[in-house]
Structures are given as structure tokens and as C-alpha cells.
Amino acid sequence: MKRTLTGLRCRLLAALLTTLLPLSGHAQQSAAFSEQAEVQAFIVDMHKQHGFDISALTSQFASIHSNATVLRLIRPPARPSKQRSWQSYRQRFVNGPREAGGLRFWEENGALLQRAEAIYGVPAEIIVAIIGVETSYGQNTGSFSVLEALASLAFDYPPRAEFFRSELENFLLLSRENGDDPLAIQGSYAGAMGIPQFMPSSQRNYAVDFDGDGRIDLRHSTADAIGSVARYLQQYGWQKGAPVAVPARVDGDPAALIAAGIKPALTVQELSARGVFMARPADADAQRAAALIDLETPGRPTQYWLGFDNFYVITRYNRSSFYAMSVFQLAEVVREVRHNRLAATR
């Protein structure tokens, strides 16, 4: 009798484990987005506003789930002060491989870059540097499902849900306009796509068919990427021939000027009256507007720069002074090396 009870217990335990194991597997993956009431309402809205087929959209959202990696990557670091290091950030983007890649990219696409500069007024080196910083000249365009990434951020990340829901709407419209399968498109964890890493709304609003084939394709057309980067910056107010940034020296406490942000608001002359001076006084007109940029590195003196309107325009691509300065410095290095090489061959 004892053996019978023991055997019965084993069989019951085995049956219980068999029942629980599938549940634990499902627990690791959230339900499909199509099961969320909020997503169902979004699908209905897309049908009413844009004529999308409800069944087709429901099927697409049934294929994707909330992506925990996307949600982890989008969150600000728990201790941002520990993460903020200009030297570490700079080394990721202003380095030998990206400089060499920039020179090759310029060599291979010189005519396109020259045409983009002539039309939009944005220097070739700035276009090269943005594409270099964003994707290493198209080598790393992202491996996340854009539909899943945007849905995760639109429905499971409340701090920026409104923004990402708008981007999700634009992504579905863009996919339909281009005849693309939205489930097949890959990009960054934030939903940026292609060689220049445009968000869907930016692609729909600013991208151009620069190769003239009748289709805007930022994932495969280097020409479209070059023209679109230039037009994006031009539309945000790029000033042809104007300076981007110059080194600065600070006397006194700059905290108030730094807190004022990176949008130029005071003239160089007004900033000098507040203890901020250009390292080389002839670098810019005293009446040009500028903002004080601080580049911090733990254990090292903070670097100070004056950022002008064109510096601010670069931050419209990525709202970070570290990003804009990396673009500017990579552009300067690539331009100077290319100029020296050309001069040596004459």
C-alpha cells in the first residue's frame, strides 16, 4: 500500500509539472500585442483615420510582443552622473576606424555630397560625420523589429507613449506608402531606420529621393541617405557658412549659463560680460548668438565650448551636446585629413 501511494504521488507530481511547465514558458514572453485593449483601440483608429484593414493590422500585432530589451535600453541610467563622460563618449565615435571610414565614404560618394552641399548648404563633412556616428556609414543599421520596438514603447513605456504612438502611426503609413511589410523592417531599439537612422516621422517629413529613382529608400540608397540628412539639417535652420562651435574659457561659476540650455540665446559679447570668452577671439562675430556647452569627464577638467545655431541644429538630430560635438569633431578631422591628402597629390 505504501509503494502504491508513493507511485501515485510521483504520477501526480509529474502531471502537475507537465501542467506548469508550459505556463512558465509563456510567463517569459508577454501576450501578443493584439490581445491588449489599448492596441485594439489603436487598430480601430488606424482604420477610421487612414483606412487600414482591421484584420490585417490585428494579424501583424498578433505576431509581436512587448520587448523587454527595448524597454530596458530606452530607460535613462539609474545613476546618470556615473555615465556622463565626454572622453568615453568621444572615443566611441571620433576614432581611427570612423575617420578611415569617413574618408572612404567621401571618396566613394563625393559627387553626391557635393550636390547635397550645393542644394542644402550643409557641408559635406557634416553629412559624412552624421552617417558615420549613426551607423558607421551604413554598416550597423539595427537588428530590432521596428514594429515591435515602436509598439513596445507606444504601449508599455508611459513616459513617452504619446511620442512613440505617433511614430508607430507614421511607421505604418510609411510602410504602406513604400509597399513594405512592416514586420520585415529592422532598425534601432527606438525605431530609427536606415543608413541615417531616421525616425518614421522624419522620413515622411524630410527624406528626399536623391537618386531620382522615384522612391525614397533610406535603408539601401546611399544617395537618398545623403540628400535626406542634408535636407533635414537645412529644414531645421542650418546656416550656410556659419560656425558650429569654438573652444571657450570660463572665469567664475558657469552653472547658470549651463542651466540655461544649449539653444543660443546670448551674443558672444554678452557671454564675455558673464565671464565666458572664446579661446581664439577671431573665431566668430561678437554679435553672433551662442550657448555655453560643458563637456564633463570624471576626474578631468571640464571642457567648455561656445555652441552656435548650427551646433543647436545638429542636436535636433539627437538632443545631446555630446552627440553634436562628436559629429562636429569627427567632421573636422575627416575634412582636415582629406584636405591634406588632396594637397599632397597636387
Side-chain angles (χ1 to χ4, degrees), residues 134-186:
E134 289 291 339
T135 63
S136 289
Y137 313 103
Q139 294 181 49
N140 181 20
T141 58
S143 58
F144 289 87
S145 161
V146 172
L147 183 63
E148 184 168 87
L150 289 175
S152 299
L153 297 168
F155 300 111
D156 290 336
Y157 187 60
R160 300 189 68 192
E162 183 178 356
F163 169 78
F164 284 109
R165 199 162 302 188
S166 175
E167 291 299 331
L168 177 60
E169 177 183 2
N170 274 285
F171 173 69
L172 291 169
L173 288 167
L174 181 65
S175 298
R176 184 173 70 178
E177 290 160 3
N178 289 342
D180 292 328
D181 175 6
L183 288 169
I185 299 175
Q186 294 185 322

Side-chain angles (χ1 to χ4, degrees), residues 70-189:
V70 165
L71 297 174
R72 175 176 58 81
L73 290 172
I74 201 70
R75 291 189 181 95
R79 295 164 61 186
S81 59
K82 185 177 180 180
Q83 302 295 322
R84 186 172 168 81
S85 169
W86 161 240
Q87 287 300 320
S88 296
Y89 188 97
R90 184 184 188 278
Q91 287 167 9
R92 290 166 52 196
F93 301 111
V94 187
N95 54 45
R98 273 190 168 84
E99 292 162 16
L103 291 168
R104 285 194 302 272
F105 187 84
W106 200 333
E107 180 67 25
E108 293 166 0
N109 300 286
L112 291 168
L113 290 161
Q114 185 177 22
R115 181 157 65 93
E117 182 171 349
I119 294 172
Y120 300 110
V122 179
E125 64 266 22
I126 293 292
I127 302 170
V128 170
I130 282 183
I131 294 175
V133 168
E134 289 291 339
T135 63
S136 289
Y137 313 103
Q139 294 181 49
N140 181 20
T141 58
S143 58
F144 289 87
S145 161
V146 172
L147 183 63
E148 184 168 87
L150 289 175
S152 299
L153 297 168
F155 300 111
D156 290 336
Y157 187 60
R160 300 189 68 192
E162 183 178 356
F163 169 78
F164 284 109
R165 199 162 302 188
S166 175
E167 291 299 331
L168 177 60
E169 177 183 2
N170 274 285
F171 173 69
L172 291 169
L173 288 167
L174 181 65
S175 298
R176 184 173 70 178
E177 290 160 3
N178 289 342
D180 292 328
D181 175 6
L183 288 169
I185 299 175
Q186 294 185 322
S188 77
Y189 68 85

Side-chain angles (χ1 to χ4, degrees), residues 298-316:
R300 298 189 182 186
T302 297
Q303 294 183 26
Y304 294 105
W305 289 68
L306 288 183
F308 303 108
D309 285 314
N310 282 346
F311 185 87
Y312 183 73
V313 169
I314 297 174
T315 67
R316 300 308 86 193

Side-chain angles (χ1 to χ4, degrees), residues 63 115 156 163 231 240 244 283 330:
S63 302
R115 181 157 65 93
D156 290 336
F163 169 78
R231 183 171 186 264
K240 181 179 180 179
V244 175
D283 277 344
L330 178 59

